[in-house]
């Protein structure tokens, strides 16, 4: 694997790093408000102006026409400063827009992709339900044939970007007798009658990101709002999640790097008047530095495979699993070894700790990723 960035990838890294440091870092307290106003619409607008909302999408569809690695670099760099912006971008692009590029008809691409890739619209991915988190195949939201179209009934839970999105890629059962082959994907617009944004979740971390339930009450859809063929929804979802999990790996990597940086600064600050760092802190520091490096390699290895159009199910799961565990360990060590500041609200370590935790849980829990990896090895 070539570990040098191309000029284009370096330019992306520099652009996103500059944006994060000069325009995002100062408004973190605003994103931490944990209310409806916390969603950083102004920053998402800026990201659209900077061409970040459709990085791996062709210019023909109003994207930046850059490669998948550049896109992962952007999530990684953003998440070093704000994991909230990292997840907004990852969900919007990987699972909100790219499935339409891949599976959409020419007309669907024309109708949706340009608005999403330019950042005029925000995308969301509605798979999870109250009783169907890890076992995605057991969703109950139904899409019943109704004339030439469908009628959607049911609900979704913990949907990222929900409060601010314009298009919701929604998965529903079209044939309850066919298991995963009885699930289909639909494009539901925010203003569709019968579709409602439900309760907003108050979360431990990622306060600026909008997470809500979605309600579908007799939502009428035309047949051309179905994405892909009838019964292809589960495969569309899983394929999209392969890419999405690399994005979440990059988000976790950004959190881990920030935590390691805090820890390094805290151990350096000790100096002449303060005692040397305890051996346990030094050991944790060294261990984490090695783990962060390994996480970086796994994330970019999976991204390189995805970019080449090769299968990356196992590698995406490995990257997400390892990077998220590393993020939690790194943030926990920063809380532990940054002295009294580590536990203080005003300091970044406790936010990183809260933000890190969900990376082990969403886009497939790490327990699911262990199963996916083992299944792939046993195939
Ligand atoms: N790519 C393409 N197709 C795939 C695939 C992949 N990676 N993985 C499975 N499939 C296909 C299989 O080939 C199979 O197709 P056929 O019937 O044609 O053979 C079909 O899907 C069923 O596969 P499985 O038998 O492996 O499916 P399963 O029911 O055993 O489930 C699972 C597998 C991996 C556990 C799945 O349920 C899963 O991923 N669960 C976790 C759900 C998840 O990640 N949710 C994330 C929600 S979004 C989110 O979190 C966003 C956010 O907020 C940040």
């Amino acid at each position: 694997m070539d570990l040098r960035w191309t000029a284009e990838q370096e330019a992306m890294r520099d652009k996103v790093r500059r944006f994060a440091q000069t325009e995002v870092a100062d408004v973190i307290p605003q994103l931490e408000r944990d209310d409806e106003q916390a969603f950083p619409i102004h920053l998402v607008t800026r990201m659209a102006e900077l061409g970040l909302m459709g990085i791996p999408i062709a210019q023909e569809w109003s994207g930046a026409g850059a490669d998948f690695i550049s896109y992962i670099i952007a999530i990684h760099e953003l998440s070093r400063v704000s994991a909230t912006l990292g997840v907004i971008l990852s969900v919007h692009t990987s699972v909100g827009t790219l499935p339409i590029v891949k599976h959409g008809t020419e007309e669907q691409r024309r109708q949706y992709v340009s608005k999403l890739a330019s950042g005029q619209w925000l995308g969301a991915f509605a798979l999870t339900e109250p009783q169907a988190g890890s076992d995605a195949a057991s969703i109950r939201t139904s899409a019943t044939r109704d004339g030439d179209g469908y009628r959607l009934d049911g609900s979704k839970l913990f949907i990222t970007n929900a409060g601010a999105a314009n298009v919701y890629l929604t998965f529903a059962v079209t044939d309850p007798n066919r298991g995963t082959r009885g699930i289909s994907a639909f494009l539901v617009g925010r203003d569709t009658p019968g579709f409602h944004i439900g309760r907003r979740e108050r979360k431990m971390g990622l306060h600026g990101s909008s997470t809500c339930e979605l309600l579908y009450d007799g939502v009428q859809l035309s047949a051309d709002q179905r994405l892909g063929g009838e019964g292809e929804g589960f495969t569309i979802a899983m394929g999209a999640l392969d890419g999405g999990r690399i994005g979440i790996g990059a988000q976790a990597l950004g959190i881990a790097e920030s935590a390691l940086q805090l820890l390094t600064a805290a151990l350096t600050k000790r100096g002449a008047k303060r005692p040397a760092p305890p051996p346990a802190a030094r050991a944790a520091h060294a261990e984490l530095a090695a783990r962060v490096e390994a996480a970086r390699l796994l994330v970019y290895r999976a991204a390189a495979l995805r970019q080449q159009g090769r299968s990356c199910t196992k590698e995406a799961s490995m990257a997400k699993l390892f990077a998220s565990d590393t993020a939690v360990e790194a943030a926990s060590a920063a809380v532990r070894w940054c002295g009294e500041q580590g536990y203080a609200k005003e300091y970044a370590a406790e936010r990183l700790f809260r933000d890190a935790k969900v990376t082990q849980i969403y886009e497939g829990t790490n327990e699911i990723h262990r199963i996916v990896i083992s299944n792939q090895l046993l195939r």
Side-chain angles (χ1 to χ4, degrees):
M1 190 173 114
D2 189 350
L3 295 173
R4 288 164 305 178
W5 295 148
T6 62
E8 182 193 55
Q9 291 160 352
E10 278 187 7
M12 178 63 73
R13 181 197 59 200
D14 294 346
K15 174 164 79 170
V16 179
R17 192 174 283 180
R18 204 175 318 114
F19 165 66
Q21 286 171 353
T22 59
E23 300 185 49
V24 181
D26 287 347
V27 298
I28 294 290
Q30 211 172 306
L31 306 190
E32 283 299 297
R33 281 174 48 171
D34 195 15
D35 59 24
E36 259 139 49
Q37 312 308 320
F39 185 83
I41 195 74
H42 59 295
L43 292 177
V44 175
T45 305
R46 274 296 289 143
M47 283 160 63
E49 286 165 6
L50 291 168
L52 304 182
M53 299 306 282
I55 296 171
I57 292 155
Q59 288 174 342
E60 173 193 359
W61 299 110
S62 307
D67 60 16
F68 192 79
I69 291 181
S70 297
Y71 160 59
I72 292 303
I73 288 173
I75 298 175
H76 172 191
E77 285 296 331
L78 276 177
S79 302
R80 289 175 64 178
V81 174
S82 166
T84 284
L85 286 185
V87 76
I88 291 171
L89 180 62
S90 182
V91 166
H92 164 80
T93 311
S94 294
V95 291
T97 308
L98 285 173
I100 312 176
V101 176
K102 185 164 179 200
H103 302 280
T105 59
E106 206 55 24
E107 174 54 24
Q108 285 171 331
R109 290 198 193 124
R110 199 192 54 72
Q111 201 182 336
Y112 298 97
V113 175
S114 286
K115 291 201 178 74
L116 288 162
S118 64
Q120 195 181 332
W121 282 0
L122 191 68
F125 180 82
L127 176 66
T128 304
E129 296 186 5
Q131 77 304 326
S134 286
D135 183 10
S138 67
I139 59 169
R140 290 188 197 152
T141 294
S142 62
T144 319
R145 274 278 182 189
D146 190 359
D148 289 340
Y150 296 87
R151 175 197 158 106
L152 252 65
D153 290 283
S155 64
K156 301 285 175 181
L157 203 64
F158 284 118
I159 305 304
T160 300
N161 286 350
N166 305 84
V167 189
Y168 301 78
L169 177 53
T170 300
F171 297 87
V173 177
T174 38
D175 185 345
N177 301 315
R178 298 201 68 213
T180 55
R181 294 181 185 193
I183 293 173
S184 305
F186 296 91
L187 295 161
V188 179
R190 184 185 180 90
D191 297 327
T192 312
F195 174 65
H196 307 283
I197 319 271
R199 193 187 70 246
R200 175 183 168 275
E201 301 294 341
R202 296 199 60 220
K203 310 186 295 289
M204 173 180 173
L206 298 183
H207 286 170
S209 113
S210 163
T211 312
C212 306
E213 72 174 336
L214 299 176
L215 306 165
Y216 303 78
D217 183 10
V219 174
Q220 296 288 339
L221 299 180
S222 60
D224 56 20
Q225 282 174 275
R226 193 189 65 227
L227 183 71
E230 203 167 277
E232 288 177 8
F234 195 79
T235 312
I236 292 174
M238 291 298 123
L241 284 167
D242 279 350
R245 289 160 178 171
I246 304 172
I248 299 306
Q251 182 203 25
L253 175 61
I255 297 171
E257 284 184 358
S258 276
L260 181 64
Q261 213 173 346
L262 287 182
L263 188 55
T264 304
L267 298 186
T268 312
K269 257 198 268 163
R270 291 181 177 252
K273 288 197 186 136
R274 299 186 69 183
R282 296 284 301 272
H285 186 222
E287 182 73 30
L288 282 170
R291 286 186 63 98
V292 168
E293 198 60 46
R296 189 177 303 127
L297 293 173
L298 282 173
V299 166
Y300 284 106
R301 154 102 175 122
L305 288 175
R306 183 81 172 175
Q307 179 163 299
Q308 291 158 16
R310 291 163 65 189
S311 162
C312 64
T313 302
K314 177 178 83 217
E315 291 78 6
S317 283
M318 286 177 168
K320 191 274 190 189
L321 167 68
F322 192 81
S324 60
D325 282 351
T326 302
V328 171
E329 278 179 39
S332 172
V335 170
R336 171 68 187 87
W337 297 113
C338 289
E340 57 285 352
Q341 284 182 317
Y343 198 61
K345 274 272 182 205
E346 296 72 39
Y347 199 62
E350 76 89 34
R351 171 175 54 85
L352 293 173
F353 185 63
R354 289 185 288 101
D355 286 354
K357 191 62 198 168
V358 75
T359 65
Q360 292 178 313
I361 299 170
Y362 61 20
E363 297 238 358
T365 63
N366 282 1
E367 290 73 22
I368 288 294
H369 289 294
R370 290 187 180 92
I371 294 170
V372 171
I373 294 165
S374 175
N375 282 347
Q376 290 283 320
L377 291 169
L378 297 176
R379 257 154 46 118

